[in-house]
Amino acid sequence: MATNQQRDSDGWQSRLASRFARFAEFVRSTDNDAVAAGALGALSLAGAFAGFLATSPYTAVCIVGFLAAVAYGWVRHRELAARGVTLAMTVSTVVILALITVFIFYEAWPILAERSGTVFGVTVPGLEMFTTTDWSPAQGTPRYSMLPMIQGTVLVTLIATAVAGPLGVAAALFISEIAPPAVREVVKPGVEILAGIPSIVYGFLGFTVLSPWASDAFALVGQGTYLFVGIVVGLMALPTVVSVAEDAINSVPESMKSGSLALGTTDWQTMTTVTIPTAFSGVSAAVLLGVGRAIGETMAATVMLRNTPKIAEPLYNVFYGFDTLTSLIAANYGSSSGLQKDALFVAGCILFVSVLALSIGSQLIERRMDRKVGGVE
């Protein structure tokens, strides 16, 4: 064990020394004015970031310094300036994402610590929020259960996946393998336009058209059902599924399809036995990304649901709709304070972790597909 740890330590030190040597060589081989401009830009960007966090009035000065360094580098050393700007933007993206993550969990921690529970002698933060079913912040003893919203989110996501998954994969298969070029040029942009429609428009159409029809057709008391919210959200996720699934299908080598056809199979048999199985990893990633869109959808759910945190009975009852995690945040954040506001951050943490897990899963699946078809080693 000690030998392995020493080997890992030596390897880490060796990599660090190698990177430092490469950096020193880069500084020596670069013009002094380019190095100075790069250092000024980096320091100015760091100062602007620190000033923003501290709400300092000198933040604007740092931003001007960064822009001046970039402008000078762009005029005198355009290639180096482009590399530096892209590196700075990449690092900034990672830092901002990390700060957002820390902020969400930091804001949620007070109620997690207060509503903790014990399991087998181990204290679990926030356990009470997942073992009760009552959301009643206005009572004498406020209760903040996440279970009603988790149930609503799961039901809406499952229905949206059942809509967007089959329809999206079928549309991607049609665009990629079946549609003539003239039809493809019309259908593909049309599907992509759907992604540009604001979610509030989908929610308004669902509220004014689908919800009244569902109330009359199923003799429901009031409006708002998980079923039709899921259908609307599934239609919203269609462009994502179609786009990613089509890329996966197009990545299947043409030689595999031609070989199948040469053996006497029909086009449909080739699509079902060669194209889809080969692109299955990418298609699965497309569906997972669509699920992530469904989980994080806010406005359509807020407009169409009743916004009353309550568990549907029975648990699989999709003909009534009460609340989801996103609609809970949208409907209550403006008027919340104290522990109720912290509870909304807990809902945000649940959504963040769920979507992050789906995104990582889709990336891993796409890499598996690339290795399978020989795209990435």
Side-chain angles (χ1 to χ4, degrees):
M1 180 66 70
T3 303
N4 293 336
Q5 292 179 349
Q6 181 65 32
R7 187 183 298 114
D8 293 340
S9 177
D10 293 341
W12 179 79
Q13 293 177 359
S14 176
R15 289 192 295 270
L16 183 62
S18 176
R19 291 178 183 275
F20 181 78
R22 290 169 56 188
F23 177 75
E25 178 61 26
F26 170 78
V27 172
R28 284 195 298 269
S29 61
T30 304
D31 295 339
N32 293 332
D33 61 333
V35 174
L40 175 62
L43 292 175
S44 298
L45 186 61
F49 179 74
F52 173 77
L53 294 179
T55 63
S56 170
Y58 298 104
T59 303
V61 177
C62 295
I63 294 177
V64 171
F66 172 74
L67 294 177
V70 171
Y72 177 84
W74 191 260
V75 173
R76 296 293 303 274
H77 308 279
R78 180 166 299 183
E79 182 178 353
L80 291 176
R83 291 173 58 186
V85 170
T86 54
L87 175 62
M89 295 303 102
T90 302
V91 173
S92 299
T93 301
V94 175
V95 171
I96 291 172
L97 179 60
L99 288 176
I100 291 174
T101 305
V102 172
F103 175 76
I104 293 174
F105 283 90
Y106 175 79
E107 292 292 331
W109 179 252
I111 192 170
L112 290 175
E114 179 173 319
R115 303 302 167 96
S116 60
T118 303
V119 178
F120 301 113
V122 178
T123 301
V124 179
L127 181 63
E128 182 182 326
M129 304 181 70
F130 300 94
T131 54
T132 60
T133 60
D134 185 24
W135 173 279
S136 52
Q139 291 186 358
T141 303
R143 296 182 181 274
Y144 304 100
S145 173
M146 292 288 113
L147 292 183
M149 285 65 71
I150 291 176
Q151 183 211 18
T153 302
V154 169
L155 289 177
V156 170
T157 302
L158 291 177
I159 296 170
T161 304
V163 172
L167 288 180
V169 174
L173 197 61
F174 173 79
I175 295 173
S176 179
E177 302 293 319
I178 300 175
V183 176
R184 186 181 300 114
E185 291 178 359
V186 175
V187 174
K188 187 174 181 179
V191 173
E192 293 174 350
I193 288 175
L194 293 175
I197 300 177
S199 59
I200 188 65
V201 175
Y202 284 99
F204 181 73
L205 291 175
F207 178 76
T208 57
V209 178
L210 289 179
S211 291
W213 177 84
S215 297
D216 296 335
F218 299 103
L220 302 177
V221 178
Q223 295 188 19
T225 65
Y226 291 134
L227 175 62
F228 289 100
V229 173
I231 292 174
V232 171
V233 174
L235 294 177
M236 295 175 59
L238 263 180
T240 301
V241 179
V242 172
S243 178
V244 179
E246 185 196 2
D247 291 340
I249 293 172
N250 288 333
S251 68
V252 177
E254 191 64 32
S255 58
M256 298 179 66
K257 306 175 188 177
S258 300
S260 175
L261 294 172
L263 293 175
T265 62
T266 64
D267 290 336
W268 175 251
Q269 289 173 329
T270 298
M271 285 187 288
T272 56
T273 60
V274 175
T275 304
I276 292 298
T278 304
F280 181 77
S281 296
V283 171
S284 302
V287 175
L288 285 178
L289 289 175
V291 172
R293 171 70 187 274
I295 292 176
E297 177 49 43
T298 303
M299 293 313 302
T302 304
V303 171
M304 295 181 65
L305 292 176
R306 304 163 190 245
N307 298 317
T308 55
K310 180 180 178 182
I311 290 184
E313 296 180 0
L315 294 178
Y316 53 82
N317 183 5
V318 297
F319 291 99
Y320 283 91
F322 297 104
D323 224 342
T324 63
L325 291 168
T326 53
S327 62
L328 175 76
I329 297 173
N332 294 277
Y333 186 74
S335 59
S336 63
S337 61
L339 289 180
Q340 183 181 2
K341 185 177 179 180
D342 297 337
L344 298 182
F345 274 100
V346 173
C349 292
I350 297 172
L351 290 169
F352 179 83
V353 172
S354 301
V355 175
L356 180 64
L358 288 173
S359 299
I360 294 175
S362 66
Q363 293 294 323
L364 294 176
I365 291 174
E366 284 186 316
R367 289 186 181 181
R368 179 177 178 272
M369 183 204 68
D370 290 337
R371 290 194 299 267
K372 185 176 181 180
V373 299
V376 176
E377 296 298 336

